[in-house]
Amino acid sequence: AQPQQQVDYVFKIVVIGDSAVGKTQLLGRFTRDEFRFDSKSTIGVEFQTRTLSIQNKLVKAQIWDTAGQERYRAVTSAYYRGALGAMLVYDITRRQSFDHAARWVEELRAHADSSMVVMLIGNKADLVGQRAVPAEDAAEFAEEQGLFFSEASALSGENVERAFLRLLEEIYGVV
Ligand code: GDP
Ligand code: MG
């Protein structure tokens, strides 16, 4: 058996957003530095973890993935319970996935603690030639809603580490 790792904090983070925006792949990139071309839509996986050091404290990020329940209002309150942070993901090539971000923010406000730190992620930044959402629109929405914002690519890995770290550091700052 592995010796129990002593961590100072466990931060629960939820990943939300429309189906197929890349939530599961972002998680795989951050927790295992992996992108799976063969992966099917998420079934039943609850969460993945990665332990890292933040300001000399060991923080275990426990990151929850939706189990294909991305339809509006299908994600249960148990999913949000105790979450300190959220990654709200849209796909920069699919306008509708960005238009739905407002609904996801409503969901968060209905279920989550008001101190929850939220990061809006425009994923698939590698597909910039197919861009359907200007970064400025997303930045403006994020500003209005009090969210952090970054574009990223689970495929190339661009900005993934940075975005998760930013979220964890912000959570660290509020706990
Ligand atoms: P989820 O339903 O939000 O969990 O989405 P997935 O992580 O299953 O990804 C949906 C599809 O988008 C899959 O075909 C992935 O290979 C693809 N995908 C995910 N992230 C990226 C990315 O950063 N770039 C590109 N080009 N494709 C991606
Ligand atoms: Mg998924």
Side-chain angles (χ1 to χ4, degrees), residues 25 30 45 47 55-56 60 62 72 78 88 92 99 111 116 120 139 142 151 172:
Q25 296 301 332
F30 179 65
V45 182
F47 60 79
Q55 293 176 23
N56 291 321
K60 182 191 273 188
Q62 183 191 77
Y72 186 47
L88 198 186
I92 70 156
D99 293 338
H111 292 285
M116 184 192 262
L120 179 69
E151 291 193 342
Y172 185 87

Side-chain angles (χ1 to χ4, degrees), residues 34-101:
E34 158 184 301
F35 185 94
R36 295 180 62 98
F37 288 94
D38 61 345
S39 82
K40 301 285 177 285
S41 62
T42 319
I43 353 152
V45 182
E46 282 203 310
F47 60 79
Q48 297 181 51
T49 64
R50 178 172 154 192
T51 299
L52 64 171
S53 147
I54 296 178
Q55 293 176 23
N56 291 321
K57 299 286 185 193
L58 266 192
V59 172
K60 182 191 273 188
Q62 183 191 77
I63 311 167
W64 290 59
D65 195 5
T66 53
Q69 318 157 301
E70 295 99 330
R71 280 167 302 108
Y72 186 47
R73 302 221 158 130
V75 178
T76 62
S77 40
Y79 184 72
Y80 297 101
R81 193 165 300 135
L84 300 175
M87 284 292 191
L88 198 186
V89 186
Y90 69 93
D91 172 348
I92 70 156
T93 72
R94 235 171 357 114
R95 181 75 205 188
Q96 184 174 258
S97 71
F98 173 68
D99 293 338
H100 287 168

Side-chain angles (χ1 to χ4, degrees), residues 19-25 35 70 123-124 126-127 153-155:
S19 187
V21 294
K23 299 181 298 297
T24 299
Q25 296 301 332
F35 185 94
E70 295 99 330
N123 189 41
K124 310 196 187 181
D126 56 286
L127 298 177
S153 167
L155 177 59

Side-chain angles (χ1 to χ4, degrees), residues 136-152:
E136 303 74 48
D137 291 12
E140 190 183 315
F141 173 75
E143 168 112 46
E144 281 166 14
Q145 298 288 334
L147 322 174
F148 295 95
F149 167 62
S150 176
E151 291 193 342

